[in-house]
């Protein structure tokens, strides 16, 4: 069973920065064979995929965060990160860490972290104007 625990959320003003972390536990002990990502759900907004990091380190971003957010992974620590800069009020949301085994990821799925099967419980990010 895959277990994900997010941390690092909080409240910031417009233009501020936050760094989210997610510790991932998997049956294989190492996360190297997992695609990992971040998704978010805002008030009265649909679930949105934010960023994905593939097993080979390739990264994908939604247009709404490209150039402002950076996703990274540390396989040795079983942890992924989301560095968020130039935050805007529209970034306010619950942020979830997601995971999917590489053998279940198709080309259509690799850029869709909101479709991954394993989710954490989320961490709230609030950006005030």
């Amino acid at each position: 069973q895959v277990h994900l625990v997010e941390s690092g959320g909080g409240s910031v003003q417009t233009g501020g920065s936050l760094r989210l972390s997610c510790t991932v536990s998997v049956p294989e002990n190492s996360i190297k064979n997992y695609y990992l990502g971040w998704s978010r759900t805002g008030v009265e907004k649909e679930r949105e995929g934010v960023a994905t990091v593939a097993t080979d380190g390739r990264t994908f971003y939604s247009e709404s965060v490209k150039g402002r957010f950076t996703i990274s992974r540390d396989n040795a620590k079983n942890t992924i990160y989301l560095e968020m800069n130039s935050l805007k009020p529209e970034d306010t949301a619950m942020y979830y860490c997601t995971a999917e085994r590489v053998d279940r990821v198709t080309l259509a799925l690799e850029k869709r972290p909101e479709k991954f099967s394993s989710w954490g419980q989320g961490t709230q990010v609030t950006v005030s104007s």
Side-chain angles (χ1 to χ4, degrees):
Q1 186 174 358
V2 179
H3 187 57
L4 305 102
V5 179
E6 303 93 338
S7 62
S11 297
V12 296
Q13 292 188 329
T14 298
S17 300
L18 282 173
R19 189 193 197 205
L20 305 184
S21 300
C22 176
T23 302
V24 186
S25 299
V26 299
E28 303 89 338
N29 292 324
S30 170
I31 62 172
K32 64 181 181 180
N33 291 324
Y34 283 79
Y35 272 61
L36 301 163
W38 292 92
S39 299
R40 65 187 182 185
T41 304
V43 176
E44 298 182 353
K45 293 184 179 179
E46 293 186 359
R47 182 179 296 177
E48 177 189 9
V50 174
T52 302
V53 56
T55 52
D56 60 4
R58 289 174 299 135
T59 56
F60 309 100
Y61 298 93
S62 68
E63 287 300 319
S64 62
V65 307
K66 195 174 292 185
R68 300 187 297 122
F69 290 12
T70 302
I71 188 171
S72 60
R73 65 191 293 160
D74 186 335
N75 290 345
K77 295 182 178 180
N78 277 18
T79 302
I80 67 166
Y81 306 95
L82 186 68
E83 187 76 38
M84 305 186 294
N85 298 313
S86 302
L87 282 162
K88 305 174 182 179
E90 50 264 44
D91 294 318
T92 295
M94 185 71 79
Y95 283 73
Y96 299 91
C97 176
T98 64
E100 190 67 77
R101 272 188 56 91
V102 63
D103 55 356
R104 297 174 187 161
V105 177
T106 62
L107 281 177
L109 186 61
E110 66 177 1
K111 298 178 183 180
R112 302 291 300 276
E114 74 277 16
K115 300 290 187 182
F116 291 178
S117 59
S118 298
W119 286 64
Q121 292 192 335
T123 185
Q124 178 67 36
V125 171
T126 302
V127 185
S128 58
S129 56

